Amino acid sequence: MKVSLVTVTFNSDQTLRDTIQSVFNQTYSDIEYIIIDGLSKDNTVEIIRKYEPQFQGRLKWISERDNGLYDAMNKGIRMSTGDIVGIINSDDFYHRRDIISRVVEAFRNERTQAVYGDVRFVNSDNLDKTVRYYSSRNFSPNRFRYGFMPAHPTFFTYRKYFEKFGYYKIDYHIAADYELLIRFLYVHRLKSKYLSLDFMKMRTGGASTASIKSNILLNKEIVRACSENGIWTCMPLLFLKYFIKVFELFLTKE
């Protein structure tokens, strides 16, 4: 079973080495790694070129102008040839070597159509310091209306479902991943399996957590995503999730 991993980069030279190395370190051998760069102006491309020979033909990459993060993700998925596709962001990294092996093992069950798990948010200055643990354990599709989704970077599914149900909508600025998960897990009811496993470490300060302004935009786009897919919600209902996030700060699982 071939797995395609997609990373989108733009001026990512401060973190990309950890991301690439974590993919290279995976014990599962049948991995295709695709990097989509948006014409970085730093040393990102030089880092990719340095690692390329180590993958012995399993790493494919392009550097060209795109229409944003989600457009770049779509490019990577369309370039992929694997049975299963997953996204790993350029400032995240797998901190275990058996993550992809565990994912593939879950897909051995023919009824499993998607897999997801947990993520560990870490301090950018101390990657061993967990500041928040995001668990997808209690997720169910009816929780989309409250602003909850499985941790997107842990989401794996068959490539054929992107071709069948559609790719990321590029007219979303920050929540196209949320909309896609609604489509796959709520509208089309893919049979998913939760793995009680923290797939990766994520540095704090991502696009959806960067500021109050970005959180407001995120919630507006969540309302839109729900509306477009037949789920009723509203902004006050979404704000309830922040009470849950407070408790996540204490669930660091060190």
Side-chain angles (χ1 to χ4, degrees), residues 13-248:
D13 66 0
Q14 297 300 305
T15 59
L16 183 59
R17 289 181 183 85
D18 289 341
T19 307
I20 297 177
Q21 190 66 49
S22 77
V23 173
F24 182 77
N25 288 344
Q26 291 300 298
T27 56
Y28 191 75
S29 59
D30 200 359
I31 294 176
E32 171 187 66
Y33 191 29
I34 299 171
I35 301 178
I36 308 297
D37 181 67
L39 292 179
S40 292
K41 298 175 175 61
D42 60 2
N43 294 318
T44 294
V45 171
E46 285 74 11
I47 293 170
I48 298 170
R49 287 193 174 120
K50 178 182 177 182
Y51 274 96
E52 187 175 11
Q54 298 183 41
F55 281 82
Q56 299 180 326
R58 295 185 298 117
L59 191 159
K60 299 188 291 187
W61 64 278
I62 58 173
S63 183
E64 63 183 25
R65 189 177 302 278
D66 56 53
N67 291 317
L69 172 65
Y70 298 115
D71 178 49
M73 285 183 181
N74 289 341
K75 286 183 182 181
I77 296 169
R78 289 189 173 101
M79 282 178 59
S80 69
T81 61
D83 303 289
I84 297 166
V85 174
I87 303 290
I88 177 168
N89 298 320
S90 63
D91 52 357
D92 305 340
F93 59 96
Y94 300 122
H95 65 110
R96 299 170 52 121
R97 300 185 66 200
D98 64 343
I99 294 299
I100 304 305
S101 295
R102 298 284 293 273
V103 168
V104 171
E105 182 182 348
F107 278 104
R108 299 289 184 200
N109 185 330
E110 294 181 356
R111 292 174 295 180
T112 300
Q113 298 171 311
V115 168
Y116 55 80
D118 303 341
V119 295
R120 188 183 296 271
F121 288 88
V122 296
N123 191 311
S124 297
D125 299 322
N126 180 1
L127 300 180
D128 294 322
K129 175 64 175 177
T130 301
V131 296
R132 178 183 163 212
Y133 191 92
Y134 187 104
S135 176
S136 303
R137 178 185 299 276
N138 295 320
F139 172 79
S140 63
N142 63 4
R143 299 192 76 187
F144 277 122
R145 75 173 67 251
Y146 300 102
F148 293 102
M149 68 175 183
H152 174 250
T154 72
F155 180 75
F156 288 79
T157 192
Y158 287 104
R159 180 169 54 88
K160 64 183 179 182
Y161 292 133
F162 289 96
E163 298 170 353
K164 186 175 182 179
F165 304 140
Y167 295 78
Y168 294 95
K169 294 184 177 180
I170 64 173
D171 57 340
Y172 279 76
H173 296 286
I174 201 170
D177 50 352
Y178 200 96
E179 192 281 330
L180 182 135
L181 290 178
I182 291 178
R183 240 185 307 134
F184 281 33
L185 300 179
Y186 179 87
V187 176
H188 296 290
R189 298 288 176 177
L190 293 187
K191 295 180 177 63
S192 60
K193 180 175 179 58
Y194 164 73
L195 299 183
S196 182
L197 180 70
D198 49 324
F199 281 39
M200 62 185 58
K201 290 185 177 181
M202 301 179 64
R203 291 172 173 84
T204 54
S208 63
T209 60
S211 67
I212 294 176
K213 183 178 180 180
S214 65
N215 271 275
I216 292 173
L217 175 60
L218 173 65
N219 287 326
K220 286 182 177 179
E221 291 196 343
I222 287 175
V223 171
R224 173 191 164 190
C226 288
S227 176
E228 289 177 350
N229 290 284
I231 300 174
W232 180 87
T233 192
C234 61
M235 293 287 278
L237 197 61
L238 296 180
F239 285 131
L240 294 175
K241 69 185 175 184
Y242 294 106
F243 292 101
I244 303 297
K245 288 188 175 185
V246 170
F247 289 103
E248 290 175 354

